[in-house]
Amino acid sequence: MSECIFCKIVKGEIPTTILYEDDKVVAFKDINPMAPSHLLVIPRKHIKSIADATDGDVQEILPAIFKAINHLATELGLSEEGFRIVNNCGKQGGQTVDHLHFHLLGGRQMMWPPG
Ligand code: AMP
Ligand code: ZN
């Protein structure tokens, strides 16, 4: 998956602002922020979407992603006022980058439905 843009970010081949990383997860600022705080939290492993996650991914990687989100929300001061986690999956889900990622958005009032 050498052409995957998020794999390139994981490998340090594309410059970005990394706010968190561990052995399974990397989090960085979205290049086109939709909120005062807008991060993307991704697995180091290339997984196309949540629909492509294996049982092993669900058991090992998703908990690491949500642990990172919880840590980041606290660190960025979002936990008290609240925040939004978004995962777009596939064409109708609005996914544009085919490497599993969770958006962490905060710092403003979110609306519902999301459109
Ligand atoms: P999605 O539409 O859910 O697939 O989200 C993909 C997100 O990746 C969008 O919010 C883009 O702004 C973001 N994005 C694309 N390329 C980069 C990049 N090089 N660095 C940071 N964020 C990016
Ligand atoms: Zn990838």
Side-chain angles (χ1 to χ4, degrees), residues 5-6 9 14 16 28-32 38 40 88 94-97 101 103:
I5 193 166
F6 286 178
I9 286 176
I14 292 179
T16 188
F28 52 92
K29 285 191 178 178
D30 195 294
I31 203 168
N32 185 23
H38 186 175
L40 298 173
N88 297 324
Q95 183 174 3
T96 60
V97 176
H101 52 280
H103 299 254

Side-chain angles (χ1 to χ4, degrees), residues 62-114:
L62 292 191
I65 286 175
F66 280 91
K67 191 176 163 191
I69 288 172
N70 198 12
H71 168 82
L72 283 161
T74 302
E75 196 173 66
L76 296 169
L78 303 176
S79 297
E80 196 170 322
E81 292 295 325
F83 54 89
R84 179 167 288 174
I85 302 164
V86 173
N87 173 250
N88 297 324
C89 179
K91 186 167 166 252
Q92 287 205 340
Q95 183 174 3
T96 60
V97 176
D98 286 340
H99 181 130
L100 177 64
H101 52 280
F102 289 80
H103 299 254
L104 169 58
L105 300 129
R108 67 166 170 84
Q109 181 62 51
M110 300 296 160
M111 309 305 283
W112 195 263

